[in-house]
Amino acid sequence: SGSGTIALTNQLSGMTYESMAVGSVVQVVQTYAATSPKISTTSIPLVASGIIATITPKYANSKILISWSNTMQTANGGSAAEMRKSVGGGTYVTIHGSGVYGIGYGQSDKNQYAPWVFNGNNVVSSTATLSFQPFIKTFNSEMTFIHVNSSYALTLTEIKQ
């Protein structure tokens, strides 16, 4: 037993994206609000929430991890949300594994004020800019996707493959 010091001088000098090991975190992007205004809809078809995180992959075959959480939602009746993506500024499409209940389903008499969480991934095929955004809907009245003064985070993490 004993103590000592290890010199770590310039251990990362010369590190490039190309020299990063498979599985390395290349970059992280986050859209976050600690105390959000109310974000709601009365739309029955899915509509954009306006909460967007955008990433431009460094590699054409990276995996993008998508993580969403909000601390409080509520609905008068039923509500749902799904994660969608846009490639290069194009139309938003549902990402694999999200579907209409991908982020969550709310029912006024079941899970009022509950948080919603989504974790997914997307393997890219180019370095085109990607934007991810929750889309929201009500089934019959109004849904509050983000309750006033609650928080949310949409985090994108690029992983080298």
Side-chain angles (χ1 to χ4, degrees):
S1 77
S3 64
T5 303
I6 299 173
L8 295 176
T9 309
N10 295 322
Q11 292 297 308
L12 295 178
S13 69
M15 176 68 81
T16 64
Y17 289 121
E18 289 72 27
S19 65
M20 295 176 79
V22 170
S24 296
V25 172
V26 178
Q27 61 177 318
V28 178
V29 174
Q30 185 177 69
T31 298
Y32 171 75
T35 54
S36 176
K38 178 181 176 181
I39 298 173
S40 64
T41 188
T42 56
S43 176
I44 292 175
L46 285 158
V47 294
S49 67
I51 301 169
I52 301 169
T54 300
I55 192 167
T56 302
K58 304 290 185 193
Y59 296 99
N61 67 339
S62 290
K63 181 181 281 188
I64 307 297
L65 304 180
I66 306 118
S67 176
W68 164 265
S69 64
N70 60 304
T71 57
M72 194 183 315
Q73 62 75 37
T74 186
N76 294 326
S79 61
E82 72 177 34
M83 188 62 67
R84 292 189 177 182
K85 76 170 179 179
S86 166
V87 179
T91 302
Y92 279 90
V93 296
T94 303
I95 66 169
H96 176 73
S98 181
V100 72
Y101 304 119
I103 292 176
Y105 172 80
Q107 182 67 36
S108 58
D109 62 345
K110 304 283 189 254
N111 59 346
Q112 287 282 55
Y113 307 109
W116 280 358
V117 176
F118 169 81
N119 289 294
N121 68 72
N122 184 244
V123 177
V124 300
S125 58
S126 75
T127 57
T129 298
L130 302 169
S131 296
F132 292 86
Q133 176 174 196
F135 274 60
I136 59 178
K137 69 174 280 172
T138 183
F139 289 103
N140 51 10
S141 184
E142 179 186 18
M143 74 93 70
T144 299
F145 184 53
I146 307 296
H147 195 280
V148 66
N149 292 326
S150 66
S151 65
Y152 66 80
L154 176 54
T155 307
L156 308 175
T157 305
E158 181 179 3
I159 306 295
K160 185 176 180 184
Q161 296 299 291

